[in-house]
Amino acid sequence: MFLSFFEHYFYKSLDNTNDEVKKLNMLKKRNIGVFTGFQRKGRGRKQREWESSIGDLACSFLIKDSINVNDLGKINLLIVNSVINILDYLGVKNIQYKWPNDIFIQNKKLAGILIETTISKKIFNEFVIGIGINFVPKKIKNSIPVISLSELNCKVNALKVFFLISFNIHLFMNSFKYIDYGIISKNLTKVFFSKSKLLTINSIHNSYKGNFIRITPFGELLIEVNGDIKAISYGEIL
Ligand code: BTN
């Protein structure tokens, strides 16, 4: 019997798709994809709120695969690159990548990705990829400027994008070992959102100010700090 890579679940509304895949995971043996028409309690990195409206894309994928901690950066590259390629295919112009996993257009946030993992002995046994894309304009003023696909005249529905993402994840998970991460990191370097400004980066224990060099094939942010080159694996650009 042919089994698709993900078992998909669809909800009219939900509190949170990342939590829902984790709940379903206790009952199911397969990889899981969850889509909701309306997410009520979305969260972003650092426990920030992620606001969705009816019509936005809020979805999560749980993948039961063991990957090494050091490969998490590659998963990040693959998922960001997939979402960028899908947006490009849908005709979205001037896509900007803000490391580690945000997508901006005209310096406004369009999409965010939240990867959550459970770890045992330096191996992730499963991981959750949560993706939010704004499809409809936001009424509430956000702390950072946001933009939606409808403001960019991109008329597509969230469910179609969910299937495109699901298919892309299936493809890259099946060829994880054979992918040329050099090409992907070059693509992301090309569309990096702020190549010439001094960046401030909060990492786990340190804060850095430096100039962008490139994204590495391991998903690190390479910057130049007072003549030294630093590769940052975790953190965020302020
Ligand atoms: C960020 O910008 O910090 C990441 C935002 C991720 C939002 C998506 S929406 C679907 C999934 N469910 C959540 O609560 N968060 C992710």
Side-chain angles (χ1 to χ4, degrees):
M1 188 175 69
F2 171 77
L3 281 180
S4 63
F5 187 76
F6 287 111
E7 206 165 284
H8 287 140
Y9 293 84
F10 302 90
Y11 299 81
K12 210 167 168 190
S13 70
L14 255 189
D15 273 353
N16 186 292
T17 55
N18 269 33
D19 292 342
E20 192 62 28
V21 283
K22 290 179 200 168
K23 262 189 235 158
L24 288 166
N25 186 35
M26 293 186 230
L27 312 167
K28 307 283 169 187
K29 290 204 165 60
R30 296 188 41 212
N31 299 323
I32 300 160
V34 161
F35 169 92
T36 185
F38 176 54
Q39 178 173 256
R40 290 184 290 263
K41 290 187 191 155
R43 61 172 181 275
R45 283 189 309 279
K46 311 249 173 212
Q47 296 302 318
R48 278 187 290 252
E49 220 180 285
W50 175 265
E51 185 209 331
S52 298
S53 319
I54 295 172
D56 284 334
L57 176 66
C59 64
S60 299
F61 300 91
L62 184 139
I63 300 165
K64 294 176 193 281
D65 205 336
S66 305
I67 59 155
N68 195 286
V69 177
N70 303 329
D71 283 338
L72 191 63
K74 289 183 182 167
I75 296 283
N76 202 49
L77 287 185
L78 291 171
I79 186 66
V80 174
N81 193 57
S82 297
V83 175
I84 288 179
N85 285 342
I86 290 168
L87 292 170
D88 181 59
Y89 161 77
L90 295 170
V92 178
K93 301 270 177 283
N94 304 319
I95 300 169
Q96 302 162 302
Y97 167 52
K98 183 176 176 190
W99 181 90
N101 37 23
D102 287 340
I103 297 171
F104 278 62
I105 311 278
Q106 299 165 13
N107 297 319
K108 297 173 191 163
K109 185 155 168 171
L110 176 75
I113 296 161
L114 176 68
I115 300 181
E116 296 179 322
T117 50
T118 50
I119 185 169
S120 137
K121 295 188 186 131
K122 292 206 168 199
I123 299 280
F124 294 123
N125 298 313
E126 51 202 24
F127 52 97
V128 174
I129 303 171
I131 302 163
I133 304 181
N134 298 324
F135 277 59
V136 296
K138 297 281 155 285
K139 291 189 201 99
I140 302 165
K141 265 245 165 294
N142 277 276
S143 49
I144 58 155
V146 295
I147 197 162
S148 62
L149 288 178
S150 84
E151 287 160 281
L152 297 166
N153 286 323
C154 177
K155 292 181 182 45
V156 59
N157 77 55
L159 193 58
K160 175 175 169 178
V161 176
F162 169 75
F163 283 119
L164 288 170
I165 295 173
S166 171
F167 183 62
N168 268 263
I169 296 178
H170 172 179
L171 288 184
F172 72 59
M173 284 313 297
N174 274 355
S175 46
F176 189 74
K177 283 192 196 134
Y178 311 104
I179 291 173
D180 185 341
Y181 293 91
I183 294 184
I184 295 180
S185 61
K186 270 193 197 136
N187 285 346
L188 295 180
T189 296
K190 220 187 285 165
V191 296
F192 188 74
F193 83 118
S194 181
K195 285 188 186 161
S196 50
K197 274 197 214 143
L198 188 72
L199 303 173
T200 305
I201 300 116
N202 269 357
S203 190
I204 302 175
H205 300 297
N206 294 308
S207 174
Y208 301 101
K209 274 190 194 308
N211 291 304
F212 176 71
I213 302 177
R214 64 186 151 85
I215 302 296
T216 74
F218 302 99
E220 302 144 316
L221 174 69
L222 208 66
I223 55 167
E224 190 255 350
V225 183
N226 301 326
D228 284 344
I229 293 181
K230 289 230 168 319
I232 306 176
S233 311
Y234 302 100
E236 70 173 1
I237 301 173
L238 300 184

